[in-house]
Amino acid sequence: MVALLLLLVGGAAAGCGGRATTHHKPGTSHEQASGNVGTLLPAQDGEGHHWREVPAEGAPQVRLTARPDSEDGWNLQLTVSRFRFTPDSTGGAALPGAGHAHLELDGRKLARVYGPWFHLPAAQVPEGPHTLTVRLYADDHTVWAVGGKAVEASVPLTGAGPGEAGHTHANSTPPPATPQADRTVTLTVRDGKVTPAPGRIEVTHGERVALRVTSDRADTLHVHGYDKELALPAGQEATLVLMADRAGLFEVETHESGLVLTQLLVR
């Protein structure tokens, strides 16, 4: 009986402290992470995520500023208060004042945002006037809400038409398709499948690696460990050049579809 009791206690301890999970962020207790935060409302966003109502006092706030970039598109600044970005615990429990943001153009989702700055390429904004909206989400993907309204901010944005300078440079010679890099990795995402099949790419420390990705749906590319992101317009090739100045094994994935595209092994 004593042996059986010890076995049961040991198994329970292993279940709690074994394989790492994302149900709560390191440094917070299980009680904090699993406790109820606010009230879930019937209202949903366009992807079916419920709103999470919290009191106005101490609730997250966000402001959005769009500044034209000197080369292409806009640089977006998300000014938040009583809120912190927690990309390392996305998918876990809803903790007060923590999470990420969604970026939408006229109600159509463009990308997730995991920090105060985001570059929006001009190619993702069709010609004409639009409304750009940023909305705050908890780690469990529920929408932070106050007084029955989502915590969000919007700004008007006008896309340049064909032949207009807009926010891009009009050069006499077109820029190269791929920025200067020591190595180029070309990947394609179609119907939820990655081509070539995900594998491991060995990279020498100090190399510049260009990730050229074409996705059949709008998504966001994320290089773990380097905290680098790239918006992926639907059906258009996008390129991220990364300086491999950190040794280790790093996954390259898409946020919306949750696909691992490849792994970079930097030696």
Side-chain angles (χ1 to χ4, degrees):
M1 290 293 292
V2 172
L4 178 59
L5 179 61
L6 290 175
L7 179 61
L8 291 174
V9 171
C16 183
R19 183 177 61 86
T21 66
T22 59
H23 75 290
H24 66 88
K25 187 177 180 181
T28 64
S29 69
H30 186 282
E31 182 179 357
Q32 280 180 292
S34 59
N36 292 328
V37 178
T39 303
L40 289 181
L41 303 180
Q44 300 179 7
D45 68 0
E47 296 183 301
H49 299 133
H50 282 278
W51 292 10
R52 184 178 292 276
E53 175 86 25
V54 292
E57 183 177 358
Q61 294 181 345
V62 61
R63 290 192 300 109
L64 177 62
T65 305
R67 298 183 176 90
D69 185 82
S70 60
E71 292 189 354
D72 172 69
W74 296 264
N75 293 315
L76 309 179
Q77 182 180 17
L78 283 65
T79 304
V80 297
S81 59
R82 299 188 290 273
F83 182 83
R84 66 189 186 280
F85 292 98
T86 53
D88 55 334
S89 57
T90 300
L95 297 180
H100 55 278
H102 285 193
L103 188 67
E104 294 184 353
L105 186 71
D106 300 333
R108 177 177 61 87
K109 183 177 176 182
L110 296 179
R112 285 188 199 169
V113 183
Y114 291 92
W117 288 95
F118 186 86
H119 178 253
L120 177 63
Q124 289 193 257
V125 182
E127 179 183 2
H130 303 278
T131 300
L132 186 68
T133 300
V134 64
R135 184 180 303 116
L136 297 185
Y137 285 72
D139 283 329
D140 68 347
H141 304 290
T142 52
V143 183
W144 289 116
V146 175
K149 296 182 180 180
V151 177
E152 62 184 23
S154 299
V155 295
L157 209 63
T158 302
E164 296 182 23
H167 301 308
T168 60
H169 286 309
N171 298 324
S172 56
T173 57
T178 302
Q180 187 65 37
D182 302 306
R183 180 185 305 201
T184 299
V185 179
T186 302
L187 302 164
T188 302
V189 180
R190 182 177 297 277
D191 297 329
K193 296 182 179 180
V194 183
T195 305
R200 184 171 295 181
I201 301 172
E202 292 196 13
V203 179
T204 302
H205 190 277
E207 273 192 313
R208 291 172 61 86
V209 181
L211 299 172
R212 300 176 58 182
V213 182
T214 303
S215 173
D216 61 351
R217 54 169 290 184
D219 213 320
T220 303
L221 179 76
H222 184 207
V223 182
H224 285 276
Y226 282 84
D227 201 22
K228 297 289 186 181
E229 292 191 350
L230 174 70
L232 300 176
Q236 299 182 32
E237 183 180 85
T239 302
L240 172 67
V241 176
L242 175 73
M243 172 65 77
D245 55 2
R246 184 180 303 175
L249 181 63
F250 307 97
E251 284 191 345
V252 180
E253 68 168 14
T254 56
H255 275 309
E256 305 310 314
S257 53
L259 297 173
V260 175
L261 304 186
T262 189
Q263 293 180 325
L264 299 179
L265 178 60
V266 183
R267 298 181 183 277

